[in-house]
Amino acid sequence: MTQTQQPPLAPLTSPDSASASQAEINAEMAAISAKHIGAAETQPRLDYSPYRSSLLRHPTKDPHHADPETVELFAPVFGHRDVARLESDLTIQDGGEPLGERIVVTGQVLDGDGRPVRNQLVEIWQANAAGRYIHQRDQHPAPLDPNFTGVGRTLTDDQGNYSFTTIKPGPYPWKNHHNAWRPAHIHFSLFGTDFTQRLITQMYFPGDPLFALDPIYQSIIDPAARSRLVATYDHEVTRHEWATGYRWDIVLTGSHRTPTEA
Amino acid sequence: MSALAPTPGQTVGPFFGYALPFDGGAELIPAGRPGAIRLHGTVFDGAGVPVPDAIVELWQADETGSVPQVEGSRARDGWTFTGFGRAPVDDTGHYSFTTLRPGPTEPHRAPFFAITVFARGLMHRLFTRAYLPLDPDTAAADPLLSTVAEDRRATLISRPDEHGFVFDIRLQGPGETVFVEYGAR
């Protein structure tokens, strides 16, 4: 029997087609990784077709390089007018104990020069222990938890540290392809000292078997960069008889402000 | 030079709706205040279809060109102009801010709104600028606009309407918005 070349992958037409198998998605992800190996791409590819929703939503032209101007050299200023002090504990918001594994997630927010990002807003949102968001569009048939909204906010302290008490989120199915499951994750929203440092990302949990199968996580080609989204289990953060602990540090891009402006 | 490698971004996903929007997030000032204007528009995908799960953030100077640096950018007391706004789009992909017309932050610079766009399907935030309508000479002198190809410049310039300005955001395709990346220091 003669060897045949693998046929080229069919062109993708429908962004919401959930027809591809996991094996097909894996092959697409592997092909993109192989093509860009060594490219040191440390941010996610905007054009990443295994994530079907990106097909019609990624800019096709290169971003335009610009020097930030005055307004972009400053960030919004947050304080306790913006954030109540108890909003960092997601386990006390609704009167009863939420179900699941209680965890503490803590870390430091730094800029690219290693300076702590102080008194800045950190916002999180996440699924509950069963993998269900309270969002109306989440119709995954897992139970909602009446004692868990999955939303938290805090301010970094003078060393750039943040801390949340929450419940470990569950993985959940999504309609990207057949039998698609997202690794468990917490969404994080961050500001730096410049508007140019704005970041929204996701924190993952160590050792998740779904990493290799997930097009959102795999959209970051550089494995070392990708792994920076994974928190570390930290026994020093773990609290006796109460919660397991994770540490996750976040680095924003460098500030463009000169020291005199800071 | 940056010493530390930045944490990669990830998509905001579809379920930010109960976490990021906040009361008054799109009203930087009350609509009835003298000088109030509207900045609004629609976020479109590459097929020209409105994106119903995007969120737009705004950051701007006040009318005199000064950048607010008062604690409480997310708070809304009805009196303080904080310069920061956050507006999820509605089911028709439309966002709308009530705000002030920004002044130039430096002499001879064209005033603009600094904009960040997040959406399901968009892996990392996008930055852009919404300039106020301006004449060709001012555009030619502006450090950013003057370096954008002329046929794409219009994507950065809002158009006036009855109450203020319209700024549509096209993520892809014909009329794709120019998105900005800030140069290394």
Side-chain angles (χ1 to χ4, degrees):
Chain A
M1 207 173 130
T2 53
Q3 277 203 320
T4 51
Q5 290 263 308
Q6 195 77 6
L9 297 164
L12 303 159
T13 48
S14 167
D16 289 316
S17 157
S19 58
S21 68
Q22 183 70 55
E24 287 167 316
I25 294 290
N26 289 354
E28 289 177 35
M29 294 193 295
I32 295 168
S33 287
K35 191 172 162 194
H36 298 280
I37 197 162
E41 289 187 5
T42 59
Q43 290 293 345
R45 305 208 103 213
L46 298 177
D47 176 7
Y48 196 70
S49 58
Y51 176 30
R52 297 294 194 248
S53 300
S54 74
L55 286 173
L56 290 170
R57 296 183 177 191
H58 70 271
T60 58
K61 299 181 166 62
D62 288 336
H64 190 85
H65 280 268
D67 289 323
E69 288 185 48
T70 314
V71 67
E72 293 153 328
L73 293 173
F74 292 89
V77 184
F78 299 105
H80 281 290
R81 294 179 67 203
D82 303 288
V83 183
R85 288 174 206 278
L86 294 177
E87 289 186 87
S88 65
D89 189 342
L90 287 74
T91 67
I92 58 168
Q93 291 172 354
D94 292 277
E97 292 285 345
L99 295 171
E101 176 186 348
R102 191 188 287 113
I103 60 173
V104 171
V105 179
T106 189
Q108 197 179 20
V109 185
L110 300 167
D111 73 12
D113 302 307
R115 289 180 294 225
V117 175
R118 301 184 171 94
N119 303 315
Q120 269 297 357
L121 179 65
V122 182
E123 297 160 286
I124 64 169
W125 68 103
Q126 62 167 94
N128 67 23
R132 177 89 186 260
Y133 288 88
I134 58 166
H135 196 286
Q136 200 182 353
R137 284 188 190 136
D138 186 358
Q139 292 298 319
H140 167 212
L144 285 168
D145 184 336
N147 296 322
F148 191 71
T149 57
V151 182
R153 260 173 231 112
T154 194
L155 295 174
T156 54
D157 67 14
D158 281 345
Q159 286 76 47
N161 293 304
Y162 72 88
S163 180
F164 289 102
T165 301
T166 183
I167 295 293
K168 190 174 180 182
Y172 57 84
W174 58 312
K175 295 183 171 66
N176 187 69
H177 54 277
H178 183 70
N179 207 12
W181 288 77
R182 296 273 2 255
H185 61 276
I186 299 176
H187 296 266
F188 270 72
S189 161
L190 303 132
F191 294 81
T193 53
D194 304 8
F195 186 72
T196 62
Q197 294 174 297
R198 184 80 175 94
L199 179 71
I200 286 183
T201 187
Q202 300 177 20
M203 185 207 94
Y204 299 90
F205 292 86
D208 197 314
L210 294 167
F211 286 155
L213 310 180
D214 179 41
I216 292 180
Y217 181 73
Q218 295 294 329
S219 69
I220 305 154
I221 302 296
D222 178 49
R226 202 187 291 155
S227 69
R228 288 199 280 275
L229 296 182
V230 183
T232 307
Y233 171 76
D234 188 335
H235 204 65
E236 296 297 311
V237 178
T238 293
R239 311 263 183 90
H240 178 66
E241 299 282 323
W242 197 69
T244 54
Y246 291 88
R247 180 168 292 280
W248 189 52
D249 295 333
I250 301 153
V251 180
L252 307 178
T253 56
S255 168
H256 295 273
R257 284 159 74 178
T258 57
T260 53
E261 291 170 317
Chain B
M1 274 296 289
S2 294
L4 299 176
T7 302
Q10 293 272 267
T11 177
V12 71
F15 301 132
F16 57 82
Y18 64 93
L20 295 179
F22 57 95
D23 286 347
E27 285 87 48
L28 284 78
I29 57 164
R33 180 165 149 182
I37 60 155
R38 187 182 195 202
L39 175 73
H40 65 124
T42 301
V43 182
F44 294 101
D45 72 12
V49 174
V51 172
D53 40 17
I55 183 163
V56 178
E57 283 183 356
L58 171 73
W59 178 235
Q60 66 166 104
D62 69 13
E63 287 168 303
T64 69
S66 74
V67 183
Q69 289 288 282
V70 179
E71 185 180 302
S73 290
R74 194 180 171 280
R76 295 290 185 255
D77 66 9
W79 299 97
T80 312
F81 179 72
T82 76
F84 174 70
R86 179 182 278 172
V89 298
D90 63 19
D91 281 351
T92 69
H94 187 253
Y95 71 91
S96 179
F97 291 103
T98 308
T99 187
L100 294 172
R101 184 187 177 108
T105 52
E106 292 167 67
H108 313 301
R109 287 282 170 91
F112 62 87
F113 302 94
I115 303 274
T116 320
V117 187
F118 307 91
R120 177 180 70 90
L122 179 59
M123 211 68 84
H124 198 21
R125 83 281 176 277
L126 296 173
F127 292 115
T128 187
R129 290 180 182 179
Y131 283 87
L132 299 180
L134 71 181
D135 61 76
D137 288 349
T138 312
D142 183 83
L144 186 136
L145 287 175
S146 60
T147 57
V148 173
E150 261 183 73
D151 62 340
R152 299 193 66 208
R153 229 177 252 177
T155 72
L156 295 173
I157 303 171
S158 60
R159 61 177 196 273
D161 78 349
E162 191 185 349
H163 301 295
F165 304 99
V166 181
F167 184 70
D168 292 332
I169 298 164
R170 294 175 194 280
L171 298 175
Q172 193 186 86
E176 182 177 308
T177 301
V178 171
F179 297 103
V180 174
E181 188 172 78
Y182 298 100
R185 215 162 21 136

